[in-house]
Amino acid sequence: MENKKLYLIDAMALIYRSYYALNKNPRVNSKGLNTSAILGFANTLYDLMKSQKPTHIGVAFDGRKPTFRHEKFEAYKAHRDAMPEDIIASIPYIQLFLQGMNIPILLCEGYEADDIIGSLAKKAEKKEFKVYMVTPDKDFGQLISENIFMYRLGRMGNRDEIWGVDQILDYFSIQKPEQVADILGLWGDSSDNIPGVPGIGEKKAKALIAQFGSIEEMLENTSQIENEKLRNVIVENAEKALFSKELATIHLDTPVDFDEELLKTKKPNEQELKVLFEELEFRNFAKRFFTGLSLTDQIEIPSPIASGQQSLFSSHIQENENTLFSSVYKNIQTGSYSYKIIADRGEREKLISEIQKSQLFSFYLLKQENAARIYGISLSVNKDEACFIPLFDDAEVILKDFAPIFESENILKIGYDLKREKELLALNNISIKGLQFDNLIAHYLLNSESRHNIEMLSETYLGYSLIDIESLVGKVSKKQSIIWDTVDPEKLKDYCCEYANINFQLHAIFEKLLEQEELLNLFTSVEIPLIDVLLSMQQNGVNIDVEYLKRYSSQLQEERKKIEEQIYELAGIRFNIASPKQLGDVLFGHMKIVEKSKQTASKQFSTAEEVLTKLADKHPIIKKILEYRALSKLINTYLDTFPLLISLQTGRIHTSFNQTVTATGRLSSTSPNLQNIPIRTERGREIRKAFIPRDKEYVLLSADYSQIELRIIAELSNDKQMLDAFQKGVDIHASTASKIYKIPINELDSQMRRNAKSVNFGIIYGISAFGLSEQLGISRKEANDLIEEYFIQYPDIKKYIESNIAFARKYGYVKTILGRRRKLNDINSRNNNLRGFAERNAVNMPVQGSAADMIKTAMVAIYDEFQKAGLKSRMVLQVHDELVFDVYKPELEIVQEIVNKEMASALELKVPIVVDMGYGNNWLEAH
């Protein structure tokens, strides 16, 4: 019997892979067309056919219309970056290439390529085909069987991989491939915006599915989940888990026919391809294609750094079309690399002396995750050279030798994520002081919306793929499971020295780029000093009144119990409100609140938040259910969880402040997120009472910028009307209402002021008449009239908006008062939605970003003043435009003076800055 091999290719996965691999050094022909994605796709497909010799082949594309997943979940894939226009322009040429290759394009409107591939794979399997799904997407693991495989293309020197049943079971720790959908239902999938269950990661998801076999079985047996916190989270998010599984499940009933003859590999149409290659100017690829000559076979590819993986980035390759991963290799040059172990004190002293002479060094700490122990340190003083010092024995003594260079004011310390490194060194009684350069923060300033991990930075800027630790120590589930002192130091040497060397070389590149883009001052005067401020806040933590949380939790549980009884009374039946299935059956089956309701994959009625919110006026029970859920969230997310997060060592909660996450420059907070404490609802605000001073000798002080975003847009636009209102100290929302409604302030009603407030803030975020009408519950015409009148009254704000968009169109970015930039790649897009989003960011980012710059500058100044004065008081929280301090009572007056002065004068502005300040025995009292 003929060995039938069908290769089904996920088109967009391969197109994106090709584009990003080549676009670091874009291929642009004489007509201005970026051909990176086309060339990469063509190269890969040609190599695949040449090496694998498929008997049958097809390439699947997503349909243009929304799929059933988008219809059920608007946020599905919504957070993904918009498709680059160069890719949009490339797709027709790629389809012409496939047409010339006589390879069928597989497309079904309303379905994704995943569903097309899944449906055809299962049909082909029944006809005794071996099926290879060419994709890196782990979702496809659910389809793998004895005759269906995943074909994963290699990258960065790694070979292609074929995954069968054994590989997918091992990767996900499951018993059968179909359970991949269950794993993703719990874990979520950030690439597709599949939510999963909050707090459940890879490890917990695998353990739960290993225990229960499926999400449905788990939800029927939640009493068997021993961990109470985990059980509550799962019960509360049961519907989200089922819904996420539905989104992650590849549907096998796509209406596509399996046409064996259509998919059969055929000879290319050479004439069509010659015309296409000439149009694209693929001269070298055409030569390779038509002669069967592989140019990459003739090229010697150097290994940039000793002991690393062989890189596919080669500076020897000059022509655009030579290889899929051609040259971005321009910063690391081929040469000899000197990596060595330093084991005795004499060599250490010699190295320290060399560092003191050179006045700079880069470093990397080999550490155990979530522990204070440092196993080794690597340092680099010169490009291409680095040393590794194992710390398995006498770590404290050896580290003490290096303290003088870390604590020197004059020696530049270069690293990656210095806050984390400082925190670890501090636990070992070493401080990093003086001049510092953090490659993570540098890249964040250069491109805030990009990824910043050091592996990516190395590949992008140095053309080098770092050593994979698993190649040294074997396969592990996570790095922290490695017991470093059991690994031969000789193996660790290259791994650690590479990081120090990479940091050394990235510094040279990033410092020049920061200077070129006028970001060096922001970097050195705000972002780098802020590291110590945030580290201090993390180390101090904030005190929590556990007894209050218990009392408040009991109170809300009583309220929830009453609402539960009211729900039963309204329903006329008792049931498990936390069970999506039972709730759906009661609302839409038993009570028949609406004739039809969406159903999930398991044929349950949907009771998702957005579904119930839209039905809130249909029956009183809906509002009660939403209130029940809101109470459950407060209890489970905050009241019962915070006590579990208190440090045994300090007795306080210690969040982590993130400096390199948001595109605007704002800080974020994680583990736990203390910037998300509810403030809009009365019950939510009460949680702030749990945040208290460290002891009776302290009080909490809150300092909050008043209407800072409006003051900044008044500053940036130089609008005389708005500046005048702020300078006179009048209520800005009442002033705006008076202007747009054209009546005196004393004749306004509260609704007019609320409408004006919505317009004031909405303008900053680029609100439309439709958005304003939805927000205020007014007609679109009335909303449009409000916006038009607003711009008549504040003409300079309209000019500012127009000029900022024009600037962004010309230069491709916008910037804050201190020069922080945000790139807007879609500002000139032909796609209205993409362009509109970029235009709104062009208006909003300078405002948001300047507010971020302002509070960061104030935090640095306040921290310095506290240090100079030797105060016991500490800054403990930053939440949006608010700072919270744990103040030693005798220092209250001086702290208020410092905070007010530094916050008000953080930026030199014409508009007056008002800082609202209060203090008390808890955060709510102080706010």
Side-chain angles (χ1 to χ4, degrees), residues 268 282 304 425 429 569 640 722 753 867:
F282 283 3
L425 285 170
N429 302 310
E569 188 176 341
D640 291 352
M722 190 168 279
R753 184 185 180 279
Q867 295 289 102

Side-chain angles (χ1 to χ4, degrees), residues 518-538:
E518 300 178 337
L519 289 164
L520 200 53
N521 184 59
L522 178 64
F523 177 78
T524 56
S525 63
V526 178
E527 295 292 351
I528 291 296
L530 188 64
I531 296 172
D532 284 336
V533 182
L534 299 180
L535 181 56
S536 170
M537 293 166 70
Q538 290 177 191

Side-chain angles (χ1 to χ4, degrees), residues 507-520:
H507 158 251
I509 297 167
F510 289 161
E511 187 172 44
K512 287 179 182 175
L513 290 173
L514 288 171
E515 193 169 7
Q516 286 172 14
E517 299 198 13
E518 300 178 337
L519 289 164
L520 200 53

Side-chain angles (χ1 to χ4, degrees), residues 31 80 94 122 207 279 309-310 324 349 394 429 432 446 470 512 520 559 599 620 624 651 704 744 760 804-805:
K31 303 174 187 67
R80 283 190 175 181
I94 289 170
K122 292 299 181 182
E279 167 73 15
Q309 298 177 36
Q310 189 179 55
L324 177 57
E349 289 175 350
D394 299 322
N429 302 310
I432 298 180
L446 291 166
E470 292 186 358
K512 287 179 182 175
L520 200 53
E559 291 182 30
Q599 291 186 318
K624 291 295 178 182
D704 197 354
N760 270 333
N804 238 41
I805 292 171

Side-chain angles (χ1 to χ4, degrees), residues 87-130:
I87 288 184
I88 295 172
S90 298
I91 290 174
Y93 289 98
I94 289 170
Q95 293 180 337
L96 283 173
F97 172 69
L98 292 171
Q99 181 179 306
M101 292 288 291
N102 280 318
I103 294 175
I105 293 170
L106 310 171
L107 188 147
C108 184
E109 290 299 347
Y111 292 87
E112 294 184 68
D114 305 31
D115 304 309
I116 296 169
I117 290 173
S119 299
L120 289 176
K122 292 299 181 182
K123 290 176 181 178
E125 181 181 35
K126 292 176 182 176
K127 294 182 178 290
E128 300 183 341
F129 274 79
K130 294 282 187 185

Side-chain angles (χ1 to χ4, degrees), residues 190-220:
S190 59
S191 65
D192 288 342
N193 209 25
I194 296 174
V197 176
I200 293 187
E202 177 182 4
K203 188 175 179 181
K204 283 182 185 174
K206 288 178 178 178
L208 287 166
I209 298 307
Q211 180 181 356
F212 295 103
S214 71
I215 289 176
E216 289 83 358
E217 194 67 25
M218 178 190 70
L219 294 177
E220 289 298 319

Side-chain angles (χ1 to χ4, degrees), residues 804-814 821-824 827-828:
N804 238 41
I805 292 171
F807 179 93
R809 284 185 181 141
K810 183 175 181 181
Y811 296 103
Y813 67 90
V814 287
R821 296 186 179 194
R822 180 174 184 178
K823 294 179 180 177
L824 300 171
I827 193 66
N828 293 309

Side-chain angles (χ1 to χ4, degrees), residues 674-693:
L674 297 183
Q675 295 190 325
N676 206 30
I677 306 296
I679 192 65
R680 295 183 184 277
T681 65
E682 185 178 344
R683 285 177 178 140
R685 282 193 295 273
E686 291 293 305
I687 293 173
R688 296 191 174 209
K689 285 183 180 178
F691 290 76
I692 58 175

